[in-house]
């Protein structure tokens, strides 16, 4: 469940909690070398659109999908900058094939654990097939998730806290029978804590799950990294970065 009152608070701090780091910029710069200019990017759950804005300024064709209207409004304000091929659409990844062009995109990205919110087995399979359908023949799907290898809620698993100078994000994964849910709280600099997500259903995806889903959808290359610097992935890695093509 989303606390709509506190989504605005999350929106306020989003860019400083999830900055477009130099590592992220270099990672995507390397990807663009595979394709002709402009590289065609699609990001699912683009939030406030910081990464998309950076890619558009570099001369690429960029589309962001976002369901939450307050985040979409923040992202859309970035479209005011001239001479950029940048657009944001109020849409989920599960309906994108009805509106977006088959084989059009070179790179599709799903970052910051957004894949976990697709918690139905049929829908997650559809999602991988849809991404493959929208990608160009040599296109890449980039997924960023918590590394859940060997980690199980029993009944609660606290995930790494994200901090900026003014705010902190706390995450807890809960298990009840065979279902999983996520709580996310934000703490302001005054020490007050506000719930953003409460008992929001998710699914846990581990490397073996990503590999299975990718192969079923027809991806031929599957690479796992620990971060955007492409350090080797191990079971101790905090994050899982998957690059599928």
């Amino acid at each position: 469940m989303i606390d709509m009152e506190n989504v605005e608070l999350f929106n306020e701090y989003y860019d400083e909690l999830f900055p477009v780091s130099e590592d992220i910029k270099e990672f995507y710069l390397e990807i663009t070398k595979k394709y002709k200019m402009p590289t065609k990017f699609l990001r699912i759950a683009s939030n406030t659109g910081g990464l998309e804005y950076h890619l558009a300024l570099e001369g690429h064709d960029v589309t962001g999908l976002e369901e939450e209207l307050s985040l979409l409004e923040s992202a859309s304000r970035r479209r005011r900058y001239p001479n950029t091929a940048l657009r944001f659409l109020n849409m989920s990844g599960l309906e994108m094939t009805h509106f977006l062009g088959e084989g059009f995109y070179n790179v599709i990205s799903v970052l910051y654990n957004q894949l976990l919110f697709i918690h139905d087995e049929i829908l997650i399979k559809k999602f991988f097939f849809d991404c493959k359908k929208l990608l160009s023949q040599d296109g890449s799907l980039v997924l960023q998730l918590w590394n859940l290898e060997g980690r199980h809620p029993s009944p609660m698993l606290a995930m790494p806290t994200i901090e900026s100078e003014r705010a902190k994000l706390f995450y807890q994964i809960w298990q009840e029978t065979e279902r999983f849910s996520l709580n996310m709280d934000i703490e302001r600099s005054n020490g007050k804590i506000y719930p953003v997500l409460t008992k929001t259903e998710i699914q846990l995806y581990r490397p073996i799950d990503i590999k299975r889903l990718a192969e079923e959808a027809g991806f031929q290359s599957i690479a796992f990294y620990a971060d955007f610097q492409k350090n080797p992935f191990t079971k101790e890695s905090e994050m899982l970065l998957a690059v599928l093509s």
Side-chain angles (χ1 to χ4, degrees):
M1 181 176 65
I2 299 175
D3 190 312
M4 299 305 299
E5 184 176 342
N6 293 330
V7 164
E8 291 288 349
L9 187 62
F10 175 69
N11 185 9
E12 176 184 346
Y13 294 111
Y14 184 88
D15 285 342
E16 59 189 77
L17 287 164
F18 299 97
V20 185
S21 67
E22 292 303 315
D23 290 344
I24 294 175
K25 292 177 183 178
E26 287 297 321
F27 173 84
Y28 281 100
L29 175 62
E30 182 180 344
I31 281 185
T32 62
K33 294 176 181 177
K34 293 175 55 179
Y35 309 107
K36 296 179 181 179
M37 284 289 289
T39 302
K40 298 177 179 64
F41 284 95
L42 172 66
R43 183 173 164 203
I44 299 162
S46 55
N47 295 287
T48 60
L51 174 59
E52 289 63 51
Y53 171 62
H54 166 74
L55 293 170
L57 286 182
E58 293 294 316
H60 303 293
D61 186 297
V62 187
T63 302
L65 307 184
E66 178 55 55
E67 291 185 85
E68 174 51 51
L69 287 177
S70 65
L71 293 170
L72 182 69
E73 289 170 2
S74 294
S76 295
R77 285 194 286 270
R78 301 180 190 271
R79 294 176 56 200
R80 298 174 183 172
Y81 292 89
N83 304 318
T84 56
L86 176 62
R87 65 203 64 83
F88 295 99
L89 307 174
N90 185 206
M91 190 186 306
S92 78
L94 295 175
E95 58 183 329
M96 59 188 180
T97 53
H98 297 300
F99 304 97
L100 304 180
E102 182 176 343
F104 181 78
Y105 297 97
N106 302 123
V107 183
I108 298 177
S109 299
V110 190
L111 309 180
Y112 306 124
N113 296 295
Q114 292 297 317
L115 192 72
L116 303 184
F117 294 99
I118 307 177
H119 49 78
D120 179 88
E121 178 67 14
I122 294 175
L123 292 180
I124 192 64
K125 288 183 176 181
K126 175 184 182 301
F127 179 79
F128 273 76
F129 275 92
D130 286 352
C131 287
K132 183 64 175 173
K133 182 177 181 180
L134 293 181
L135 283 168
S136 60
Q137 187 173 2
D138 56 351
S140 299
L141 174 60
V142 179
L143 307 173
Q144 184 195 25
L145 303 161
W146 285 313
N147 174 25
L148 296 166
E149 187 72 23
R151 302 173 189 178
H152 304 275
S154 57
M156 191 273 284
L157 178 63
M159 303 311 296
T161 300
I162 296 177
E163 299 185 42
S164 70
E165 288 188 7
R166 299 191 301 151
K168 297 180 182 178
L169 275 182
F170 303 101
Y171 300 91
Q172 308 92 35
I173 297 175
W174 291 84
Q175 181 174 12
E176 185 176 349
T177 61
E178 297 300 315
R179 301 171 76 89
F180 300 94
S181 62
L182 179 69
N183 289 354
M184 181 175 74
D185 303 302
I186 188 166
E187 179 183 328
R188 304 181 75 172
S189 56
N190 61 8
K192 294 189 70 173
I193 297 176
Y194 304 84
V196 180
L197 299 177
T198 304
K199 294 185 178 180
T200 301
E201 189 170 359
I202 61 171
Q203 183 55 268
L204 308 188
Y205 297 111
R206 297 180 170 85
I208 190 172
D209 303 310
I210 300 298
K211 185 174 186 295
R212 171 181 58 84
L213 290 163
E215 289 177 343
E216 289 177 357
F219 289 95
Q220 301 297 313
S221 173
I222 303 169
F224 293 144
Y225 305 102
D227 49 39
F228 284 101
Q229 293 180 319
K230 291 189 173 182
N231 286 311
F233 174 78
T234 70
K235 65 180 182 179
E236 287 79 26
S237 300
E238 186 174 290
M239 300 298 297
L240 167 65
L241 184 69
V243 182
L244 318 176
S245 58

